[in-house]
PDB file of all heavy atoms in Angstrom:
ATOM      1  N   ILE A 387      -5.344  -7.865  -5.108  1.00  0.00           N
ATOM      2  CA  ILE A 387      -4.804  -9.092  -4.515  1.00  0.00           C
ATOM      3  C   ILE A 387      -5.981 -10.012  -4.213  1.00  0.00           C
ATOM      4  O   ILE A 387      -6.928  -9.603  -3.540  1.00  0.00           O
ATOM      5  CB  ILE A 387      -4.008  -8.765  -3.245  1.00  0.00           C
ATOM      6  CG1 ILE A 387      -2.783  -7.907  -3.613  1.00  0.00           C
ATOM      7  CG2 ILE A 387      -3.581 -10.029  -2.519  1.00  0.00           C
ATOM      8  CD1 ILE A 387      -2.074  -7.308  -2.424  1.00  0.00           C
ATOM      9  N   PRO A 388      -5.960 -11.265  -4.684  1.00  0.00           N
ATOM     10  CA  PRO A 388      -7.179 -12.082  -4.649  1.00  0.00           C
ATOM     11  C   PRO A 388      -7.490 -12.757  -3.328  1.00  0.00           C
ATOM     12  O   PRO A 388      -8.656 -13.029  -3.036  1.00  0.00           O
ATOM     13  CB  PRO A 388      -6.928 -13.127  -5.747  1.00  0.00           C
ATOM     14  CG  PRO A 388      -5.437 -13.258  -5.800  1.00  0.00           C
ATOM     15  CD  PRO A 388      -4.890 -11.890  -5.482  1.00  0.00           C
ATOM     16  N   ASP A 389      -6.482 -13.079  -2.518  1.00  0.00           N
ATOM     17  CA  ASP A 389      -6.763 -13.874  -1.321  1.00  0.00           C
ATOM     18  C   ASP A 389      -5.737 -13.579  -0.235  1.00  0.00           C
ATOM     19  O   ASP A 389      -4.802 -12.796  -0.425  1.00  0.00           O
ATOM     20  CB  ASP A 389      -6.786 -15.368  -1.653  1.00  0.00           C
ATOM     21  CG  ASP A 389      -5.566 -15.815  -2.453  1.00  0.00           C
ATOM     22  OD1 ASP A 389      -4.462 -15.263  -2.209  1.00  0.00           O
ATOM     23  OD2 ASP A 389      -5.682 -16.699  -3.304  1.00  0.00           O
ATOM     24  N   GLY A 390      -5.936 -14.227   0.922  1.00  0.00           N
ATOM     25  CA  GLY A 390      -5.033 -14.036   2.045  1.00  0.00           C
ATOM     26  C   GLY A 390      -5.393 -12.796   2.853  1.00  0.00           C
ATOM     27  O   GLY A 390      -6.401 -12.136   2.592  1.00  0.00           O
ATOM     28  N   PRO A 391      -4.583 -12.439   3.839  1.00  0.00           N
ATOM     29  CA  PRO A 391      -4.888 -11.293   4.703  1.00  0.00           C
ATOM     30  C   PRO A 391      -4.884  -9.957   3.972  1.00  0.00           C
ATOM     31  O   PRO A 391      -5.439  -8.983   4.473  1.00  0.00           O
ATOM     32  CB  PRO A 391      -3.787 -11.340   5.766  1.00  0.00           C
ATOM     33  CG  PRO A 391      -2.672 -12.100   5.122  1.00  0.00           C
ATOM     34  CD  PRO A 391      -3.332 -13.106   4.242  1.00  0.00           C
ATOM     35  N   ALA A 392      -4.264  -9.912   2.782  1.00  0.00           N
ATOM     36  CA  ALA A 392      -4.213  -8.676   2.001  1.00  0.00           C
ATOM     37  C   ALA A 392      -5.265  -8.637   0.897  1.00  0.00           C
ATOM     38  O   ALA A 392      -5.239  -7.738   0.051  1.00  0.00           O
ATOM     39  CB  ALA A 392      -2.828  -8.491   1.381  1.00  0.00           C
ATOM     40  N   ALA A 393      -6.196  -9.604   0.896  1.00  0.00           N
ATOM     41  CA  ALA A 393      -7.213  -9.665  -0.168  1.00  0.00           C
ATOM     42  C   ALA A 393      -8.001  -8.356  -0.229  1.00  0.00           C
ATOM     43  O   ALA A 393      -8.444  -7.831   0.790  1.00  0.00           O
ATOM     44  CB  ALA A 393      -8.156 -10.829   0.094  1.00  0.00           C
ATOM     45  N   GLY A 394      -8.149  -7.849  -1.447  1.00  0.00           N
ATOM     46  CA  GLY A 394      -8.823  -6.576  -1.640  1.00  0.00           C
ATOM     47  C   GLY A 394      -7.880  -5.399  -1.644  1.00  0.00           C
ATOM     48  O   GLY A 394      -8.293  -4.269  -1.897  1.00  0.00           O
ATOM     49  N   GLY A 395      -6.600  -5.670  -1.365  1.00  0.00           N
ATOM     50  CA  GLY A 395      -5.588  -4.627  -1.444  1.00  0.00           C
ATOM     51  C   GLY A 395      -4.864  -4.660  -2.778  1.00  0.00           C
ATOM     52  O   GLY A 395      -5.232  -5.403  -3.687  1.00  0.00           O
ATOM     53  N   THR A 396      -3.819  -3.879  -2.895  1.00  0.00           N
ATOM     54  CA  THR A 396      -3.000  -3.845  -4.100  1.00  0.00           C
ATOM     55  C   THR A 396      -1.624  -3.327  -3.714  1.00  0.00           C
ATOM     56  O   THR A 396      -1.439  -2.789  -2.621  1.00  0.00           O
ATOM     57  CB  THR A 396      -3.649  -2.972  -5.193  1.00  0.00           C
ATOM     58  OG1 THR A 396      -2.894  -3.070  -6.412  1.00  0.00           O
ATOM     59  CG2 THR A 396      -3.694  -1.512  -4.770  1.00  0.00           C
ATOM     60  N   ILE A 397      -0.654  -3.491  -4.597  1.00  0.00           N
ATOM     61  CA  ILE A 397       0.704  -3.011  -4.358  1.00  0.00           C
ATOM     62  C   ILE A 397       0.876  -1.671  -5.070  1.00  0.00           C
ATOM     63  O   ILE A 397       0.706  -1.586  -6.285  1.00  0.00           O
ATOM     64  CB  ILE A 397       1.763  -4.008  -4.856  1.00  0.00           C
ATOM     65  CG1 ILE A 397       1.566  -5.368  -4.209  1.00  0.00           C
ATOM     66  CG2 ILE A 397       3.166  -3.466  -4.576  1.00  0.00           C
ATOM     67  CD1 ILE A 397       1.726  -5.382  -2.715  1.00  0.00           C
ATOM     68  N   LEU A 398       1.193  -0.644  -4.305  1.00  0.00           N
ATOM     69  CA  LEU A 398       1.429   0.686  -4.855  1.00  0.00           C
ATOM     70  C   LEU A 398       2.924   0.934  -4.951  1.00  0.00           C
ATOM     71  O   LEU A 398       3.657   0.729  -3.976  1.00  0.00           O
ATOM     72  CB  LEU A 398       0.776   1.750  -3.981  1.00  0.00           C
ATOM     73  CG  LEU A 398       0.917   3.228  -4.380  1.00  0.00           C
ATOM     74  CD1 LEU A 398      -0.300   4.025  -3.916  1.00  0.00           C
ATOM     75  CD2 LEU A 398       2.189   3.867  -3.824  1.00  0.00           C
ATOM     76  N   VAL A 399       3.362   1.361  -6.115  1.00  0.00           N
ATOM     77  CA  VAL A 399       4.741   1.805  -6.327  1.00  0.00           C
ATOM     78  C   VAL A 399       4.706   3.290  -6.659  1.00  0.00           C
ATOM     79  O   VAL A 399       3.899   3.733  -7.482  1.00  0.00           O
ATOM     80  CB  VAL A 399       5.425   1.023  -7.472  1.00  0.00           C
ATOM     81  CG1 VAL A 399       6.778   1.645  -7.814  1.00  0.00           C
ATOM     82  CG2 VAL A 399       5.601  -0.438  -7.085  1.00  0.00           C
ATOM     83  N   VAL A 400       5.564   4.054  -6.000  1.00  0.00           N
ATOM     84  CA  VAL A 400       5.675   5.471  -6.298  1.00  0.00           C
ATOM     85  C   VAL A 400       7.111   5.793  -6.669  1.00  0.00           C
ATOM     86  O   VAL A 400       8.057   5.301  -6.034  1.00  0.00           O
ATOM     87  CB  VAL A 400       5.205   6.354  -5.102  1.00  0.00           C
ATOM     88  CG1 VAL A 400       5.984   6.038  -3.835  1.00  0.00           C
ATOM     89  CG2 VAL A 400       5.318   7.833  -5.444  1.00  0.00           C
ATOM     90  N   ARG A 401       7.270   6.591  -7.716  1.00  0.00           N
ATOM     91  CA  ARG A 401       8.590   7.013  -8.185  1.00  0.00           C
ATOM     92  C   ARG A 401       8.510   8.511  -8.520  1.00  0.00           C
ATOM     93  O   ARG A 401       7.706   8.929  -9.370  1.00  0.00           O
ATOM     94  CB  ARG A 401       8.992   6.246  -9.441  1.00  0.00           C
ATOM     95  CG  ARG A 401       8.946   4.737  -9.294  1.00  0.00           C
ATOM     96  CD  ARG A 401      10.225   4.154  -8.800  1.00  0.00           C
ATOM     97  NE  ARG A 401      11.271   4.172  -9.818  1.00  0.00           N
ATOM     98  CZ  ARG A 401      12.517   3.763  -9.592  1.00  0.00           C
ATOM     99  NH1 ARG A 401      12.870   3.354  -8.376  1.00  0.00           N
ATOM    100  NH2 ARG A 401      13.407   3.773 -10.549  1.00  0.00           N
ATOM    101  N   ARG A 402       9.312   9.311  -7.854  1.00  0.00           N
ATOM    102  CA  ARG A 402       9.376  10.734  -8.190  1.00  0.00           C
ATOM    103  C   ARG A 402      10.523  10.944  -9.169  1.00  0.00           C
ATOM    104  O   ARG A 402      11.681  10.694  -8.850  1.00  0.00           O
ATOM    105  CB  ARG A 402       9.599  11.582  -6.943  1.00  0.00           C
ATOM    106  CG  ARG A 402       9.511  13.084  -7.230  1.00  0.00           C
ATOM    107  CD  ARG A 402       9.706  13.902  -5.977  1.00  0.00           C
ATOM    108  NE  ARG A 402      11.082  13.807  -5.484  1.00  0.00           N
ATOM    109  CZ  ARG A 402      11.477  14.310  -4.318  1.00  0.00           C
ATOM    110  NH1 ARG A 402      10.612  14.901  -3.509  1.00  0.00           N
ATOM    111  NH2 ARG A 402      12.736  14.200  -3.944  1.00  0.00           N
ATOM    112  N   MET A 403      10.172  11.406 -10.368  1.00  0.00           N
ATOM    113  CA  MET A 403      11.160  11.555 -11.426  1.00  0.00           C
ATOM    114  C   MET A 403      11.301  13.015 -11.821  1.00  0.00           C
ATOM    115  O   MET A 403      10.322  13.643 -12.251  1.00  0.00           O
ATOM    116  CB  MET A 403      10.776  10.713 -12.646  1.00  0.00           C
ATOM    117  CG  MET A 403      10.727   9.220 -12.367  1.00  0.00           C
ATOM    118  SD  MET A 403      10.306   8.254 -13.827  1.00  0.00           S
ATOM    119  CE  MET A 403       8.616   8.775 -14.074  1.00  0.00           C
TER     120      MET A 403
END
Side-chain angles (χ1 to χ4, degrees):
I387 296 169
D389 49 35
T396 186
I397 303 297
L398 179 150
V399 171
V400 57
R401 305 271 287 177
R402 187 179 68 188
M403 297 181 293

